[in-house]
Amino acid sequence: MSLSFCFPTTARTLTLTNSFASFFNRNPPIHQRFSVVSCSRALHLDAEPEGEEEDGFSGGRQRANYAGVRLEESVEEVKSGKVRLDTWISTRINGISRARVQSSIRSGLVSVNNRVTNKASHMVRHGDKVECTISELQPLKAEGEDIALDIVYEDEHVLVVNKPAHMVVHPAPGNATGTLVNGILHHCSLPTTTFQDQELLSDSDDLADIELDEPSKDFSFDTNETSIRPGIVHRLDKGTSGLLVVAKDEHSHAHLSQQFKQHTIQRIYVSLTCGVPSPASGRVDIPIGRDLTNRLRMVAYTGSNKCGKSRHAASRYRVVEILAGGGSALVEWRLETGRTHQIRAHAKYLGIPLMGDEVYGGTKNMALARLQPKNPSRLHGHLSQLVSKLDRPCLHALTLGFTHPCTGEKMQFSCLPPEDFAETLTGLRNISTEKVMSSYS
């Protein structure tokens, strides 16, 4: 038996052998993983790019420089009677990140009632007078670290890595070490690299908490001691596991970024959801923008609720298996765009948040609320134990395909989810499983 995935952007079909297809069958070996590299000759991309310029290498997101911005204001009445200082300031300066505010507080540039405080968690109340000056962005240094990397493929131009869950992709305030970038610098024997102010993401992104799965111009590396410029072409959320491609030179970085801009990169994800989507397959074409009440979260905006800063986002999904009597599902996703938290926000919009995704409603209580009514009471203890182990969104970047930037060959890679995802899937399958022969709408 074999399982085939047909990619809409190519004429090829990636056929997964028995060892890989077993992931979609009952009780697969937890540690089993299989990588596929299939190549076919293709033309280089010479045509003018189509689609939104903001989603590509040359367009990028507009940056906002808040350095020197001053705030002098008294705290108005708050619902709970008090609020964190960093939270309050971030709501008073439109578009600024809380991480940037925290940096200013630690730098001694914020006072409450004429007394300087360096505690971001300081609580302010109605009537408190707050004075704040936003600090300059500080350059970040990334040093090579001997971090074990799961390298799926490597040549002199590109590197494909299977990122573990809980690893941050690039250095950021609060995550200066232990990142994928630190590991790549060591692996490629590159010296310490400094990210200058202009190389950082816009203040509209909370660097310590949010990574993107979209093209990245901002995090290519440059050194004076070598001509090698490895660069992060796209990113995954900290809690998401799976495949990433890294460019090892400037040409490869530009070429791969162009492929992301043209939406020719092949990306397949799998997730475990709270509940089962209806219909069993579909296309979600709903813009995504920052949640105005929680800056760590994105929101799918529809109709009159569309936010001015929302961006076009489209995802296709299909149910692979209905699990545990319909309390959960194994869902496959294919991205047409790559927005911040796109799958997580679209899953919430569909009413099926990802299991373990505390930010988007996939809490342990939500998972049990969907699972327990679908199953007999004798299984409730088992379900509670299974759900209690969740410590990240059950989302994995399963398959990645792209055109090699130098040879023109089409390359496709697949890697099974890690142990935590597989254990949860097996536990749900052991209760009940129903294969779904759904196809993409």
Side-chain angles (χ1 to χ4, degrees):
M1 175 183 177
S2 65
L3 180 67
S4 296
F5 289 107
C6 295
F7 296 109
T9 54
T10 70
R12 288 185 56 82
T13 297
L14 172 61
T15 300
L16 306 181
T17 63
N18 289 330
S19 60
F20 192 87
S22 65
F23 168 66
F24 293 93
N25 296 327
R26 186 176 177 83
N27 299 330
I30 288 176
H31 294 289
Q32 189 176 56
R33 62 186 293 271
F34 178 68
S35 301
V36 178
V37 183
S38 61
C39 301
S40 63
R41 183 60 57 185
L43 296 176
H44 285 283
L45 299 175
D46 295 323
E48 287 297 317
E50 298 178 355
E52 299 176 355
E53 183 175 335
E54 64 182 5
D55 196 27
F57 172 75
S58 60
R61 296 178 305 284
Q62 291 185 348
R63 298 181 179 87
N65 184 6
Y66 292 89
V69 170
R70 282 189 55 79
L71 171 71
E72 295 183 15
E73 191 171 326
S74 295
V75 178
E76 296 180 355
E77 187 173 353
V78 292
K79 292 182 179 179
S80 61
K82 58 183 179 180
V83 64
R84 281 177 57 115
L85 176 61
D86 57 345
T87 300
W88 184 82
I89 293 175
S90 65
T91 64
R92 307 309 298 166
I93 302 177
N94 185 38
I96 198 168
S97 69
R98 195 163 71 168
R100 186 71 183 279
V101 172
Q102 290 170 348
S103 176
S104 302
I105 295 172
R106 289 192 297 268
S107 298
L109 298 176
V110 177
S111 65
V112 178
N113 298 326
N114 299 317
R115 297 186 63 178
V116 173
T117 178
N118 58 6
K119 292 182 61 177
S121 60
H122 178 85
M123 306 303 290
V124 293
R125 295 169 172 78
H126 174 67
D128 284 347
K129 181 182 178 182
V130 177
E131 297 182 47
C132 169
T133 301
I134 301 302
S135 62
E136 295 284 344
L137 280 170
Q138 298 299 314
L140 291 173
K141 287 188 176 181
E143 298 183 354
E145 297 178 45
D146 188 5
I147 300 172
L149 299 178
D150 185 1
I151 297 175
V152 177
Y153 174 83
E154 181 177 16
D155 61 28
E156 60 182 316
H157 304 290
V158 297
L159 183 72
V160 178
V161 180
N162 179 29
K163 185 188 87 68
H166 306 299
M167 174 182 274
V168 175
V169 172
H170 50 71
N175 288 289
T177 62
T179 72
L180 181 62
V181 164
N182 296 112
I184 292 172
L185 286 173
H186 179 271
H187 178 77
C188 295
S189 300
L190 293 176
T192 298
T193 299
T194 300
F195 297 105
Q196 299 298 332
D197 293 0
Q198 64 270 21
E199 293 175 315
L200 295 174
L201 284 176
S202 161
D203 279 301
S204 64
D205 289 309
D206 291 289
L207 298 177
D209 299 282
I210 296 175
E211 288 76 53
L212 314 178
D213 179 31
E214 56 187 47
S216 171
K217 175 181 178 181
D218 304 283
F219 285 90
S220 59
F221 311 145
D222 194 9
T223 72
N224 295 324
E225 303 176 32
T226 177
S227 61
I228 300 176
R229 283 177 54 102
I232 302 299
V233 184
H234 62 134
R235 284 158 280 174
L236 296 174
D237 295 341
K238 178 180 178 180
T240 303
S241 57
L243 295 173
L244 279 167
V245 59
V246 179
K248 297 175 71 174
D249 56 68
E250 184 67 16
H251 168 77
S252 297
H253 188 275
H255 196 285
L256 288 168
S257 296
Q258 187 79 338
Q259 292 181 55
F260 273 97
K261 182 177 180 179
Q262 293 181 310
H263 307 301
T264 58
I265 297 288
Q266 301 160 354
R267 291 171 289 174
I268 298 178
Y269 294 72
V270 287
S271 69
L272 296 175
T273 59
C274 297
V276 181
S278 180
S281 65
R283 181 175 183 268
V284 186
D285 188 355
I286 304 294
I288 290 176
R290 184 78 61 187
D291 187 337
L292 299 180
T293 63
N294 183 348
R295 290 191 48 79
L296 300 184
R297 186 170 61 201
M298 308 299 286
V299 174
Y301 288 97
T302 59
S304 60
N305 292 326
K306 184 175 180 180
C307 175
K309 293 185 179 181
S310 62
R311 305 169 72 192
H312 170 244
S315 310
R316 294 184 182 272
Y317 73 90
R318 73 178 184 94
V319 176
V320 178
E321 286 181 64
I322 296 175
L323 302 165
S328 180
L330 175 64
V331 179
E332 181 186 280
W333 302 81
R334 300 190 185 192
L335 297 183
E336 296 181 17
T337 57
R339 305 304 183 205
T340 306
H341 297 183
Q342 178 171 318
I343 290 175
R344 298 165 65 188
H346 277 171
K348 178 178 175 62
Y349 169 78
L350 292 173
I352 50 155
L354 307 186
M355 292 184 67
D357 194 347
E358 299 281 337
V359 175
Y360 287 88
T363 63
K364 295 177 175 63
N365 287 338
M366 168 60 78
L368 290 175
R370 297 291 176 86
L371 288 165
Q372 289 181 342
K374 300 286 186 178
N375 293 278
S377 58
R378 60 183 173 81
L379 294 176
H380 289 185
H382 170 69
L383 288 170
S384 296
Q385 185 177 16
L386 190 66
V387 168
S388 68
K389 297 179 181 179
L390 298 173
D391 64 354
R392 57 108 172 183
C394 288
L395 181 63
H396 176 74
L398 180 76
T399 298
L400 178 67
F402 56 89
T403 300
H404 194 285
C406 295
T407 67
E409 292 177 316
K410 290 193 174 180
M411 311 188 74
Q412 297 168 333
F413 305 89
S414 293
C415 193
L416 290 180
E419 183 175 348
D420 64 332
F421 189 112
E423 284 185 343
T424 303
L425 175 59
T426 299
L428 295 172
R429 278 174 167 166
N430 285 340
I431 296 173
S432 71
T433 178
E434 176 187 345
K435 293 291 193 301
V436 179
M437 302 301 292
S438 60
S439 58
Y440 285 97
S441 301

